[in-house]
């Protein structure tokens, strides 16, 4: 039996409701369910409901939010809570994506609160961690990743940790066309796995993200440390995305 794989599409600030519907219609037509393989979509908040509707008959396809705010409700203009995302059809949420951390000033402490809010509402948190180029060049990759894990997850109940998925996304590889070699990614994944197992997650799912495309996905997923991929740019075109998802499992 092949290991379960998760392919996650982060649409970032692309694809409104009509475009989301059209994307998913094409994708569903091109991609037949495969055993032990899930495909998750993270559309912008305005497209959550349309996307969730479009995949409702496929249990292997699921929709998540790109970000949530930790407060349950109130005067937080522009933000959405975990409960609102859930109402719109989300079953998961990204937390700590590097664009949130580096463009919007999200802190490690914010990621802790968001993971807690997601779990409390019943959303699966997909926590993103990863080092900048300067941190990598100065030999701090593992220290940065462990700091981000400890800050976001260190205080969690051991029983809750298995519900968290982690994506290792080196900041220098996101949207740049550069990607970690499978061996480099695997070394970081091993460290993440050891940390998660040491804190109560017996068989954690750890994805790799950063310039994954239909050409490099098979090479990356040939590395058994990778339980799937989180993909931005290459997930926007439904035909190319279907090809990538199929290529990864070949
Ligand atoms: C991402 O947005 O998480 C990502 C990995 O982007 P890209 O695939 O475009 O590098």
């Amino acid at each position: 039996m092949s290991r379960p794989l998760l392919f996650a599409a982060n649409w970032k600030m692309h694809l409104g409701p009509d475009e989301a519907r059209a994307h998913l219609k094409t994708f569903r037509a091109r991609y037949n369910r495969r055993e032990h393989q899930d495909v998750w979509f993270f559309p912008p908040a305005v497209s959550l409901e349309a996307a969730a509707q479009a995949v409702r008959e496929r249990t292997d396809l699921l929709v998540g939010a790109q970000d949530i705010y930790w407060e349950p409700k109130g005067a937080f203009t522009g933000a959405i809570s975990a409960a609102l995302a859930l109402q719109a059809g989300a079953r998961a949420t990204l937390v700590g994506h590097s664009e949130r951390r580096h463009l919007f000033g999200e802190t490690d402490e914010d990621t802790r609160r968001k993971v807690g809010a997601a779990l409390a509402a019943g959303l699966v948190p997909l926590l993103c961690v990863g080092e900048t180029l300067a941190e990598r060049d100065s030999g701090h990759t593992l220290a940065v990743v462990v700091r981000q894990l400890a800050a976001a997850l260190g205080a969690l109940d051991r029983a809750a940790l298995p519900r968290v998925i982690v994506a290792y996304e080196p900041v220098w590889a996101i949207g740049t066309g550069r990607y970690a070699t499978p061996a480099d990614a695997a070394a970081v994944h091993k460290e993440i796995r050891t940390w998660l197992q040491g804190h109560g997650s017996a068989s954690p799912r750890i994805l790799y993200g950063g310039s994954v495309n239909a050409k490099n996905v098979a090479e990356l997923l040939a590395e058994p440390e990778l339980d799937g991929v989180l993909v931005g740019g290459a997930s926007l075109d439904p035909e190319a995305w279907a090809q990538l998802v199929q290529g990864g499992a070949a």
Side-chain angles (χ1 to χ4, degrees):
M1 181 191 97
S2 53
R3 72 192 189 283
L5 288 176
L6 172 56
F7 294 81
N10 174 17
W11 289 351
K12 312 194 190 210
M13 202 167 71
H14 300 283
L15 308 183
D18 288 345
E19 294 160 317
R21 270 187 283 271
H23 181 299
L24 289 163
K25 188 173 176 201
T26 306
F27 178 78
R28 286 194 331 264
R30 297 284 179 282
Y31 172 69
N32 293 319
R33 176 194 305 267
R34 289 187 172 195
E35 232 187 317
H36 311 301
Q37 190 162 303
D38 295 307
V39 187
W40 293 9
F41 295 86
F42 293 87
V46 292
S47 301
L48 273 175
E49 192 165 6
Q53 283 292 325
V55 302
R56 70 185 181 285
E57 277 154 24
R58 291 274 300 260
T59 51
D60 59 325
L61 309 181
L62 173 149
V63 165
Q66 292 177 12
D67 185 37
I68 54 160
Y69 191 54
W70 56 81
E71 291 291 346
K73 61 169 82 162
F76 303 104
T77 302
I80 61 166
S81 65
L84 290 178
L86 195 77
Q87 259 183 58
R91 295 294 172 260
T93 182
L94 300 181
V95 175
H97 189 276
S98 77
E99 286 149 21
R100 299 299 317 170
R101 291 179 192 261
H102 296 285
L103 298 175
F104 296 96
E106 186 163 299
T107 64
D108 285 344
E109 171 60 12
D110 293 345
T111 63
R112 183 187 68 77
R113 291 174 166 188
K114 290 181 180 189
V115 167
L119 288 170
L123 295 178
V124 175
L126 202 171
L127 175 71
C128 304
V129 296
E131 80 288 2
T132 63
L133 190 55
E135 288 164 341
R136 183 175 197 85
D137 287 346
S138 58
H140 292 118
T141 297
L142 297 180
V144 168
V145 165
V146 167
R147 187 204 77 222
Q148 291 171 334
L149 290 174
L153 309 176
L156 266 191
D157 200 90
R158 284 178 81 87
L161 195 63
R163 289 159 61 200
V164 179
I165 299 175
V166 172
Y168 168 54
E169 297 213 303
V171 180
W172 49 270
I174 298 179
T176 59
R178 290 182 60 192
Y179 61 99
T181 64
D184 280 350
V188 182
H189 280 227
K190 277 201 180 81
E191 189 77 11
I192 295 173
R193 198 174 301 282
T194 300
W195 192 95
L196 291 168
Q197 286 175 334
H199 288 78
S201 186
S203 36
R205 294 177 99 179
I206 307 169
L207 314 184
Y208 167 77
S211 295
V212 178
N213 57 44
K215 292 204 177 81
N216 62 21
V217 67
E219 175 196 354
L220 283 160
L221 289 178
E223 168 51 64
E225 269 295 333
L226 277 57
D227 300 309
V229 286
L230 174 56
V231 181
S235 71
L236 292 177
D237 176 76
E239 314 247 3
W241 176 234
Q243 214 184 331
L244 189 159
V245 171
Q246 253 126 200

